[in-house]
Amino acid sequence: MSLTDILSPSDIAAALRDCQAPDSFSPKKFFQISGMSKKSSSQLKEIFRILDNDQSGFIEEDELKYFLQRFECGARVLTTSETKTFMAAADHDGDGKIGAEGIDYFNYR
């Protein structure tokens, strides 16, 4: 399964266009534009599984900086500031990684 099985390719493209400039990424806005904010918990968990590059069951900061590239190979890498802000929003227990349940609790829905 790929992200385009869950999200519209045109919505993904629009979300990526919206945050092309460094330090312009907003997780809340990205979730809204891409359509992620309208997905069910089970669909978000499937998206998480796809985004979990090493399939460890967690998304660590090193993986999170490549978040946009998981949607499109040529997308930019998140800046350090964007990555830290994104991690802080989803890492509710402060362990430096996001579990599958974390994607459902971004509070962006």
Side-chain angles (χ1 to χ4, degrees), residues 16-36:
L16 290 170
R17 271 193 311 276
D18 184 70
C19 61
Q20 284 181 339
D23 294 316
S24 66
F25 176 76
S26 162
K28 181 176 184 175
K29 195 170 182 185
F30 188 88
F31 272 48
Q32 290 170 344
I33 296 171
S34 71
M36 289 174 68

Side-chain angles (χ1 to χ4, degrees), residues 46-95:
E46 183 60 26
I47 290 169
F48 177 90
R49 188 191 65 72
I50 294 167
L51 296 174
D52 179 13
N53 195 40
D54 64 4
Q55 298 300 298
S56 66
F58 298 96
I59 296 177
E60 294 88 6
E61 194 169 318
D62 282 347
E63 286 176 299
L64 195 59
K65 68 182 176 182
Y66 298 104
F67 177 81
L68 298 177
Q69 291 183 349
R70 302 296 290 157
F71 290 86
E72 181 180 280
C73 293
R76 72 178 180 85
V77 174
L78 294 179
T79 66
T80 300
S81 174
E82 290 169 324
T83 303
K84 291 190 181 305
T85 300
F86 196 2
M87 178 62 75
D91 178 17
H92 296 289
D93 62 6
D95 65 355

